[in-house]
Amino acid sequence: EIYGGSFTVEKRGVILAVQEGAGIVIPREGTFARNLTILVIDQTTGSAVSAGVNGSFWIETKFGWFEINLTTNETGQLVYSFDPDCNYNVGRITWIGGTRGDACYIDANATSSLNITGQLKNNLQLPEANSVYNVTQLIPIRFNITSDCADEGLIANATSFSIELRSPLDIFETCSPAYDEYNGWYNCTWNSTGKKEGYWDIRLNATKMPYYYFNSSLYENWFWLENINATSENATIFFFNYTLNKWQEVTQEIGWSSYFNYTIDIFDQEGDTITCLLYIKRNSTNTWEQIGSYTIPGVPGLPTQGTCWITYQGFSCSDIGINSFMWEIRNGEQANFYNTTPIELPILRESK
C-alpha cells in the first residue's frame, strides 16, 4: 500500500569561531597583511565543514564597508588576508565574517574588531634648508605633523613632541620651550648664543599613541651657524720713557735695551673669548718666535671689546736693525684664527 506526502530539507546550522584577527594591531603603512580567520563548524556533526562553503567578510572603512566573498578552505576556515591602506581609519574598526548564500548552510556571521595604527610624518618648514645664521641669532624652528594618508591632513595635539639640534661636534641638545599650536603645527625658538660654528642638524620627534607610530625625522646639515670673526686694529709698540715716567709710541729708531709694550685693539660682536699671541722676528735670526699671549674674557651674547698687550725687554745688541712683529688672533673657532700683517718695528740701534 502506497501513501503520498512531502518533506522539507532545511539548511544546517553553523557555529562560527573567530580564530585570527580579533584585537590584533596592524600597521597601515607598508605591507603588513594579517589573516582574519573564522572556523565554520557544522552544528549537526560538531565537525568543521568541508571546503567550498560560501562565505563573506565585511570590514569597516572610512566610507562604509568593504565586502569580499570567498569559500572555506580544506580545513573549514574562511580566511581573508587583510592589509589596510588609506581607505581605513586609524584606531579600532569592526569586521564581520561568516557563511552567506551557501546551498547547504544557513547565513550566519560573527563580529569582531581590530586596531589599525598609522605612521606620523614630521615635516620641517623653518628654518629653510641651507640657511645661514650668525652666532647669537634667535632661530625659529617650525614643523607640522601629517600621517601616511594625505586625506587626514595635519595631525593636531600630538601626545608628545620635541625638537632637537645636533652640533658639529655630534652633541644633541633640546630646543626648549617647544609649543603646540593646536592645529597640527609645532614650534620653538633656538638661541644660538655661544654655539659652535658649522653645520647643524635638526631632529623632530612626535608620537600620538595609540593611533599612530612614533616618528623621528633627522634633517642633516640643515643650516650653517657662522661665528663672525673678531676684528683687530691699531697694532702699536710703545716704549717706557723713564725720564718722563710714561709710555710713548715707537715711531723711530730706538735703543735695543728698551722696555717695550706691544698692543692691539680687539672687537668681537658675539662675545667670544679672544686670545692674542704675539710673534716677533729678530734681525739676528729672521725667524718668527712667539714671545707671549694675552686673553680677553668674553661673555656670549655681549660684544667683547678690549686691548691685548704684552711687555717685552728681550732684544740684544745682535738684533740691531729692522725687527718685525705680528699678532695671531684666536676667537675659539680654529677656522677663524688669523695673523695680522707683519709690521717692521722696532728699528733698533745701540743703546745709550
Side-chain angles (χ1 to χ4, degrees):
E1 187 173 1
I2 300 175
Y3 296 91
S6 63
F7 63 91
T8 301
V9 177
E10 295 184 348
K11 295 181 180 182
R12 289 189 178 183
V14 293
I15 299 171
L16 304 177
V18 176
Q19 292 185 316
E20 293 180 292
I24 61 173
V25 177
I26 309 180
R28 187 173 60 183
E29 185 177 56
T31 302
F32 294 96
R34 298 289 188 273
N35 284 343
L36 309 183
T37 303
I38 294 178
L39 177 64
V40 182
I41 301 171
D42 186 312
Q43 195 171 30
T44 301
T45 66
S47 301
V49 301
S50 59
V53 174
N54 292 330
S56 298
F57 281 98
W58 296 266
I59 305 172
E60 183 182 6
T61 72
K62 292 178 179 178
F63 318 104
W65 293 88
F66 167 75
E67 179 181 323
I68 181 74
N69 300 316
L70 35 66
T71 60
T72 55
N73 59 21
E74 63 277 4
T75 56
Q77 296 167 309
L78 293 168
V79 180
Y80 177 64
S81 180
F82 177 52
D83 188 8
D85 57 22
C86 288
N87 289 308
Y88 298 89
N89 282 313
V90 295
R92 184 184 181 200
I93 67 166
T94 299
W95 64 273
I96 302 169
T99 52
R100 179 191 183 202
D102 189 75
C104 300
Y105 293 95
I106 65 171
D107 291 354
N109 58 61
T111 300
S112 187
S113 64
L114 55 80
N115 293 279
I116 296 175
T117 304
Q119 178 61 62
L120 294 182
K121 306 288 184 178
N122 300 325
N123 311 293
L124 182 61
Q125 181 202 43
L126 292 175
E128 295 182 357
N130 301 312
S131 298
V132 177
Y133 295 93
N134 295 329
V135 172
T136 70
Q137 278 190 272
L138 298 177
I139 301 177
I141 303 175
R142 189 171 188 251
F143 75 103
N144 65 45
I145 301 176
T146 56
S147 76
D148 50 307
C149 296
D151 65 298
E152 293 175 349
L154 300 182
I155 306 299
N157 304 317
T159 306
S160 64
F161 67 95
S162 64
I163 300 170
E164 299 175 284
L165 296 99
R166 183 166 65 182
S167 76
L169 300 178
D170 201 30
I171 299 172
F172 276 97
E173 61 181 82
T174 300
C175 184
S176 181
Y179 298 99
D180 184 346
E181 299 179 25
Y182 301 104
N183 58 3
W185 288 92
Y186 306 82
N187 75 81
C188 76
T189 300
W190 184 64
N191 189 341
S192 67
T193 300
K195 304 303 183 181
K196 182 72 176 172
E197 179 180 82
Y199 279 108
W200 284 73
D201 306 334
I202 298 176
R203 185 165 67 187
L204 308 174
N205 308 300
T207 185
K208 189 167 186 177
M209 293 299 291
Y211 302 106
Y212 296 94
Y213 288 114
F214 169 81
N215 179 276
S216 181
S217 301
L218 181 64
Y219 291 81
E220 295 186 89
N221 296 329
W222 197 250
F223 67 90
W224 175 270
L225 192 60
E226 177 68 24
N227 186 316
I228 297 177
N229 214 347
T231 59
S232 58
E233 59 183 1
N234 301 326
T236 308
I237 306 179
F238 296 89
F239 75 97
F240 192 75
N241 187 323
Y242 289 95
T243 302
L244 299 177
N245 196 35
K246 68 177 184 179
W247 291 100
Q248 291 183 288
E249 184 176 349
V250 175
T251 58
Q252 57 187 2
E253 288 187 349
I254 191 168
W256 62 265
S257 62
S258 298
Y259 183 35
F260 295 103
N261 186 11
Y262 294 78
T263 69
I264 189 167
D265 295 333
I266 296 296
F267 178 80
D268 186 276
Q269 73 175 45
E270 292 154 355
D272 293 323
T273 293
I274 305 300
T275 299
C276 308
L277 283 70
L278 178 61
Y279 294 86
I280 64 170
K281 184 167 66 173
R282 302 171 186 273
N283 183 58
S284 60
T285 63
N286 203 36
T287 58
W288 290 103
E289 60 181 281
Q290 181 187 335
I291 62 167
S293 65
Y294 188 92
T295 297
I296 304 175
V299 178
L302 299 177
T304 302
Q305 190 167 9
T307 300
C308 289
W309 58 272
I310 295 172
T311 57
Y312 184 69
Q313 193 174 23
F315 289 111
S316 67
C317 63
S318 62
D319 296 320
I320 290 175
I322 298 176
N323 296 267
S324 302
F325 76 94
M326 67 178 179
W327 293 88
E328 180 183 0
I329 310 301
R330 299 181 176 183
N331 77 338
E333 293 286 351
Q334 188 168 1
N336 288 344
F337 293 0
Y338 70 92
N339 295 334
T340 61
T341 302
I343 296 175
E344 291 186 338
L345 283 176
I347 300 173
L348 301 179
R349 57 169 171 77
E350 292 183 357
S351 291
K352 296 179 182 181

